[in-house]
Structure formats: C-alpha cells, structure tokens
Amino acid sequence: MQELVAWARKVREDFPILRSLHPSGRPLIYLDNAATAQKPLAVIEKLADFYRYTNANIHRGVHWLSQEATQAYEAARERVAAFIGAASEKEVVFVRGATEGINLIAQGLRRVWFSPGDEILVTQAEHHANIVPWHIVAEEVPISLRPVPLTPAGGIDLAAVAQAFTERTRLVAISAMSNVLGTEFPVAEVAAMARERGIPVLVDACQAVVHRPIRVQEWGVDFLVFSGHKLYGPTGIGVVYMRAPWGEKLPPYQGGGDMIRRVTWGGSRYAPPPAKFEAGTPPIAEAIALAEALRYLEEKVGWDFIQAYERYLCDYTEAALQSVPGITLYGTARPKGAVWSFNIGEIHPHDVGTFLDQAGIAVRVGHHCAQPLMDALGVAATVRASLAFYNLPEEIDQLAQTLHEVVRFFAHTPSAP
Amino acid sequence: MTPEMQNLYQELILEHNHYPRNYGRVENPTHEAEGYNPLCGDQVHLTLRVEEERIADIRFEGKSCAICRAATSVMTTVVKGAAIAEADRYFEAFHQLLTQEEAPLVSSLPAAVQEKLRIFSTVRLFPIRVKCATLPWHTLRVALHEPEKKIATTE
C-alpha cells in the first residue's frame, strides 16, 4: 500500500492546480472529480502547443499545416478507438461532450427507430443527460422511460432488469456507474439480456471510463458516450462510440461543412460515418489534448495503479466517513468507484458544503443532475466527495475531521429565544 | 472552526434555524406561494392572510438549509403586521444589503427591522449562498404581487 500512496504523491505533482491555495490560505483539497477532473501539465501543454505550432482547419487544406492538424486529429480518433476497444476508428465520433452525444443518438433514433408506445429501459440512477434527451424525443414520438429500481445498497439486481423488459422495450440506455452513488452496474450482463431480445444498448460511461478501461466489444454494446473533461482532458470534447451498422442507419444530427459528399441546389448526399456526424469545424485542439490525456493515463500513471489505488481510497474513505456521527452513506454496493454521497443527520448539504469549502475542501452539494434518484433516496440533495488517483489519504483524514467539526457546530443548541 | 464560518452562521441565525418562528400554515390563506431553488433544493412554502393591504398573518413550511430557514423565520417576524408597501421596502433593502457593497436603503428602515436584517449582511461574502437568504423574500413577492406564478425561484 505504501508503494501505491508514494506513486500517487508522485503523479500528483503533474497537476499544477493542486498546488493552489483556497482564498483563506488553506491548501486546496479537490474532491469534486466526478464533476470534472483536473488536468495534468501534459494535457495543458498539448492544448497550448496545438495553437502554438499546429493550428489549422482539418480535412480541407492542401497546405502542410492543415495536413499536420488533420493527421493529429485522426490520430486522436485512433487512440480513442484503441482505448475503448472499438473494432474501427470509424466507429468513433467526436462531439462536445457526453450530453451532446446522447442527444445526437436520441435525435437519430427518433427518426429511424422509435414508434409510439415504445419503452426505453433505464436505471433509477440516470443523470439528467440520459433522461431529458428522451423526454424531448417523447414530445414528438410518444415513448416512455422504464427505470429499473436500485437495490437498497445502490446496486442493480439482474432479476429486476429482467422484469423491466416488456414487449415494447426498444432500447436499453443505462449508466455504467452512478455519478451520485459511485456504484457500477453490470453492463455486460444487461447488454447480453438485451441482445437476446434484439434490443440495442446505449451506455453512459462518463463516470466508469475514468476509473477503469472500457472494452466496448466485450461489453457488447451498440452506443457508448463519455466526456473528455472528466477523463483529465479538456472541456468541449466528448466521444460517441457507434457500432458499425449504426453509423449508416442513423441520420446526421447537424448539417454543414465537412459532413457531405456532394451538395447541389437539389439536395445533399452525406459523407460516411464518422464524418457524417461531425458537421462544421470540430473541437480539434480538444480532441488532440484528450488523446494526450489517454496517453498520459496509460503510459505515465498506469491503469493498474489507478484501479488498485482507487479501490484502496474508496475503502479508506468509507471507513473515515463511517466515523462521523449521524452520517448516512448512499451507495455501499460493490463494485464501486471512489465516489461517496452522504448526508449528516438533519444538516442541510448546502451548509455542509460551505463549511467544507471554508476548510479548503471542494465537494459537490445538490441533486447532482439526478433528481429522480434523489426522489428515490427520499432526499432533496446530498454531499458528494468524488476522488481521483491524485487524492491522498491525508486529504480524506482532513475531510473526516472537518465533518466532525460540522457535526459539533450544528449540534450546538443555541439558547432559546 | 474558522472565523468566516462564525461570521456567516451568526448565533442569531443558528437560533432561528433551531427555533423557527411562524412555522406552519395559515388557515384559509388569502395569498400563498412556493419558493424553490433548483440548484440546492431549498424549498419554502408561504401562506399569508392579507387584510386591508396589511399582512395580518404569515407562516412558512419547507425543507432548506440553515441560512434559508433562518432568513425565512426572520422575514416572517418583520413583515407580520406590516403594510404590503412596507414589506416591499424591506425586500428592496434586504436585497441591496446582500448584493451591494453600499447598502443605504436598510438604514431607512425601523431600527428593530434593521437589526434583524443586518444579521445576514455577511452572507454577501458567500455569493453562492445569497440565493438561500433571498429565496423567502422572492417567494413573498410572488405571493403578494404575482400569485398567478405560484412558484418563485431565485434564478
């Protein structure tokens, strides 16, 4: 264990922002990684270097700079394809983020896939990004969402999944890991059940992809989305994986330059995927910097380390939080990533969040864009501490110690009026 | 415990959070509104009985953070018995106190009201929490002047 912690200390130095001080002068303890991760220097420099040395528009210049930029952009696509185990880089579409990715898929399926009365099987733990796009579809084609309930520990029971399938199920759209609970869901097993029934599967991998490498073919899924900024890459870049025949079946999401084969006044013929889905100038620098983040994670940090160390941090954090009087932890089922949501007695999460902030500890408080899950938990909001491989055990100690202070502060009974 | 926290959570704020005044519902209210902050889930329900342009009674229910709950409790104590026009003045003064560096309006209010509103003046230093303290006041405004909206937010 000492070796793991020592390596965490070492790679932590790659993240300049982690040396920041809170305005109060206290060191920053960043535990809001599920919202967005911090960026290693390699990624920051890659972004700047693109604009410094390589900037040009892609796919349209004969000049050398455009060719270099195009090459780097397409190399980024290849790295992403290899990272998720896609059969071909042509199955990888760059978008602005996972939210745009799900909207792209939803609007495509609206036009070629859904009929009135169809159902989409989801989990009770979906992020709004995997709920609202379907509600928008439902405004035009009356379809509905059927959520699979969670177990009391925040996991998914396959028997409950089997029960949720109906004759009208036309799509399975599930998160691989809850952004609130951290619990991981059995994607491969659910996908197998869907396959038996001839139903396509979409996976929201935003949280899962950060904690372990994803293999889309082993999972047997049709669509998968994730955002770059949670994966130590820049904002404004996300990935849609689309298994081969789907790229042909789905109509384009937006029209414009770079996604066409031929345009006349009579109409347009579209380019083959993935270009078909990338209208306009894409986030070129961001795609290249995302590939740099993947390189950094694979070659410098190491996925074996990330998984082993985060397991340790997850257990360490659970034990530390359990010591806080009156705490309720949400999502104790395993496997889970190092994300802990909790409430302390009747103390409102917002009060806890401000208190922690004053101690230099950044956490997220609120509904985490998962209001249906909050309803199911019977709370309006939670406090969420989400960890990354650069967090250290002493930061968790500091969190727990400050939470003890929160309890003491709010347990204090003022004299009656 | 940091000094900033003690400034934010003044003893009186903790006291109102612990012993909220005018908690519950007015029977047969003439006015009511729901306040909701979608960011943090703060929720306040106000019921009022207005007689001859005067707030004869006001009560609140809801789940919210300590700042919001205390602000609501304090608000009910200062507007109960006040004319609607007076309550509007308190709203303007309170809003200015929490959002502007210079807040002259509050000084024109009755001394007892001033004193109660000023316990929230440090909330201004916590921009993300300003909405917690102003939510009940926005809700009151909707109840009194835009009842067709029914729901107030601080967005």
Short mmCIF file of all heavy atoms in Angstrom, two decimals, chain A residues 1 72 75 83 86 107 112 120 145 147 151 161 170 184 189 233 237 239 244 250 267 405 417:
data_model
loop_
_atom_site.label_atom_id
_atom_site.label_comp_id
_atom_site.label_asym_id
_atom_site.label_seq_id
_atom_site.Cartn_x
_atom_site.Cartn_y
_atom_site.Cartn_z
N MET A 1 0.82 -1.21 0.00
CA MET A 1 0.00 0.00 0.00
C MET A 1 0.86 1.27 0.00
O MET A 1 0.55 2.24 -0.69
CB MET A 1 -0.90 -0.02 1.24
CG MET A 1 -2.11 0.82 1.08
SD MET A 1 -2.93 0.55 -0.52
CE MET A 1 -3.21 -1.23 -0.47
N ALA A 72 -3.06 14.81 -36.79
CA ALA A 72 -3.12 14.74 -35.33
C ALA A 72 -4.54 14.46 -34.86
O ALA A 72 -4.77 13.68 -33.92
CB ALA A 72 -2.61 16.04 -34.73
N ALA A 75 -5.32 10.88 -35.61
CA ALA A 75 -4.55 10.01 -34.70
C ALA A 75 -5.24 9.97 -33.34
O ALA A 75 -5.24 8.95 -32.65
CB ALA A 75 -3.12 10.51 -34.56
N PHE A 83 -8.46 2.79 -27.10
CA PHE A 83 -8.72 2.88 -25.65
C PHE A 83 -10.02 2.18 -25.27
O PHE A 83 -10.10 1.51 -24.23
CB PHE A 83 -8.76 4.36 -25.25
CG PHE A 83 -9.24 4.61 -23.86
CD1 PHE A 83 -8.51 4.15 -22.76
CD2 PHE A 83 -10.42 5.31 -23.61
CE1 PHE A 83 -8.96 4.38 -21.47
CE2 PHE A 83 -10.87 5.55 -22.33
CZ PHE A 83 -10.13 5.08 -21.26
N ALA A 86 -12.75 -0.39 -29.69
CA ALA A 86 -13.64 -0.39 -30.85
C ALA A 86 -13.02 -1.20 -31.98
O ALA A 86 -11.80 -1.34 -32.06
CB ALA A 86 -13.90 1.04 -31.32
N GLN A 107 -31.81 11.89 -31.15
CA GLN A 107 -32.48 12.50 -32.30
C GLN A 107 -32.39 11.60 -33.53
O GLN A 107 -33.31 11.57 -34.35
CB GLN A 107 -31.89 13.89 -32.58
CG GLN A 107 -32.32 14.94 -31.55
CD GLN A 107 -33.84 15.03 -31.43
OE1 GLN A 107 -34.56 15.11 -32.42
NE2 GLN A 107 -34.34 15.00 -30.21
N VAL A 112 -35.46 7.12 -36.99
CA VAL A 112 -35.39 5.83 -37.70
C VAL A 112 -35.73 4.61 -36.83
O VAL A 112 -35.67 3.48 -37.31
CB VAL A 112 -33.98 5.60 -38.30
CG1 VAL A 112 -33.65 6.70 -39.30
CG2 VAL A 112 -32.91 5.53 -37.21
N ILE A 120 -38.04 2.72 -23.19
CA ILE A 120 -36.59 2.68 -23.03
C ILE A 120 -36.31 2.21 -21.61
O ILE A 120 -36.83 2.79 -20.65
CB ILE A 120 -35.96 4.06 -23.26
CG1 ILE A 120 -36.31 4.57 -24.65
CG2 ILE A 120 -34.46 4.01 -23.07
CD1 ILE A 120 -35.87 6.00 -24.91
N LEU A 145 -39.97 6.09 -20.49
CA LEU A 145 -38.80 5.51 -19.82
C LEU A 145 -39.27 4.56 -18.74
O LEU A 145 -40.20 4.88 -17.98
CB LEU A 145 -37.95 6.62 -19.19
CG LEU A 145 -37.32 7.62 -20.16
CD1 LEU A 145 -36.70 8.79 -19.41
CD2 LEU A 145 -36.26 6.92 -21.00
N PRO A 147 -37.70 2.86 -15.55
CA PRO A 147 -36.50 2.76 -14.72
C PRO A 147 -36.43 1.46 -13.93
O PRO A 147 -37.41 1.05 -13.32
CB PRO A 147 -36.61 3.96 -13.78
CG PRO A 147 -38.08 4.25 -13.71
CD PRO A 147 -38.71 3.76 -14.98
N THR A 151 -31.16 -1.61 -5.78
CA THR A 151 -31.21 -2.32 -4.50
C THR A 151 -30.99 -1.29 -3.39
O THR A 151 -30.49 -0.19 -3.65
CB THR A 151 -30.11 -3.39 -4.42
OG1 THR A 151 -28.85 -2.71 -4.42
CG2 THR A 151 -30.17 -4.34 -5.61
N VAL A 161 -33.82 -6.25 -13.64
CA VAL A 161 -33.65 -5.84 -15.04
C VAL A 161 -34.53 -6.72 -15.92
O VAL A 161 -35.27 -6.22 -16.78
CB VAL A 161 -32.18 -5.96 -15.48
CG1 VAL A 161 -32.03 -5.60 -16.96
CG2 VAL A 161 -31.29 -5.06 -14.62
N ARG A 170 -37.54 -1.01 -26.55
CA ARG A 170 -36.95 -0.82 -27.87
C ARG A 170 -35.49 -0.35 -27.76
O ARG A 170 -34.76 -0.33 -28.73
CB ARG A 170 -37.80 0.25 -28.59
CG ARG A 170 -37.52 0.44 -30.04
CD ARG A 170 -38.13 -0.63 -30.92
NE ARG A 170 -38.12 -0.18 -32.30
CZ ARG A 170 -37.72 -0.89 -33.34
NH1 ARG A 170 -37.33 -2.13 -33.16
NH2 ARG A 170 -37.74 -0.38 -34.55
N GLU A 184 -21.18 0.63 -9.59
CA GLU A 184 -21.06 0.23 -11.00
C GLU A 184 -22.16 -0.76 -11.32
O GLU A 184 -22.54 -1.58 -10.49
CB GLU A 184 -19.69 -0.41 -11.23
CG GLU A 184 -18.55 0.58 -11.08
CD GLU A 184 -17.19 -0.05 -11.33
OE1 GLU A 184 -17.12 -1.05 -12.07
OE2 GLU A 184 -16.20 0.45 -10.77
N GLU A 189 -23.73 -7.91 -18.59
CA GLU A 189 -24.84 -8.83 -18.35
C GLU A 189 -26.14 -8.26 -18.89
O GLU A 189 -26.94 -8.96 -19.51
CB GLU A 189 -24.98 -9.12 -16.84
CG GLU A 189 -23.87 -10.00 -16.26
CD GLU A 189 -22.57 -9.22 -15.98
OE1 GLU A 189 -22.50 -8.00 -16.29
OE2 GLU A 189 -21.63 -9.83 -15.45
N GLY A 233 -9.02 15.29 -19.50
CA GLY A 233 -8.84 16.03 -20.75
C GLY A 233 -9.55 17.36 -20.67
O GLY A 233 -10.08 17.74 -19.62
N ILE A 237 -15.01 18.49 -25.43
CA ILE A 237 -14.77 17.31 -26.27
C ILE A 237 -15.40 16.08 -25.62
O ILE A 237 -15.29 15.88 -24.41
CB ILE A 237 -13.26 17.07 -26.52
CG1 ILE A 237 -13.03 15.89 -27.49
CG2 ILE A 237 -12.50 16.85 -25.23
CD1 ILE A 237 -13.37 16.19 -28.92
N VAL A 239 -17.00 11.84 -26.68
CA VAL A 239 -16.89 10.73 -27.62
C VAL A 239 -18.21 9.99 -27.71
O VAL A 239 -18.86 9.73 -26.70
CB VAL A 239 -15.77 9.77 -27.17
CG1 VAL A 239 -15.81 8.46 -27.95
CG2 VAL A 239 -14.40 10.44 -27.30
N ALA A 244 -20.65 -0.51 -35.81
CA ALA A 244 -20.60 -0.24 -37.26
C ALA A 244 -21.93 -0.03 -37.98
O ALA A 244 -22.09 1.01 -38.61
CB ALA A 244 -19.80 -1.33 -37.94
N LEU A 250 -28.20 5.67 -38.76
CA LEU A 250 -28.64 6.93 -38.15
C LEU A 250 -28.50 8.09 -39.12
O LEU A 250 -27.46 8.21 -39.78
CB LEU A 250 -27.83 7.25 -36.89
CG LEU A 250 -28.09 6.47 -35.61
CD1 LEU A 250 -27.48 7.21 -34.44
CD2 LEU A 250 -29.56 6.23 -35.37
N GLY A 267 -30.11 19.12 -53.34
CA GLY A 267 -30.03 18.39 -52.07
C GLY A 267 -28.60 18.03 -51.74
O GLY A 267 -27.65 18.44 -52.44
N GLU A 405 -16.22 18.44 12.83
CA GLU A 405 -16.44 19.82 13.28
C GLU A 405 -17.82 20.32 12.87
O GLU A 405 -18.48 21.04 13.62
CB GLU A 405 -15.37 20.75 12.68
CG GLU A 405 -14.02 20.62 13.34
CD GLU A 405 -12.96 21.47 12.61
OE1 GLU A 405 -13.32 22.51 12.05
OE2 GLU A 405 -11.79 21.05 12.60
N PRO A 417 -35.08 31.52 22.20
CA PRO A 417 -35.36 32.95 22.05
C PRO A 417 -36.13 33.51 23.25
O PRO A 417 -36.86 32.79 23.88
CB PRO A 417 -36.21 33.02 20.78
CG PRO A 417 -36.79 31.65 20.61
CD PRO A 417 -35.77 30.70 21.18
#
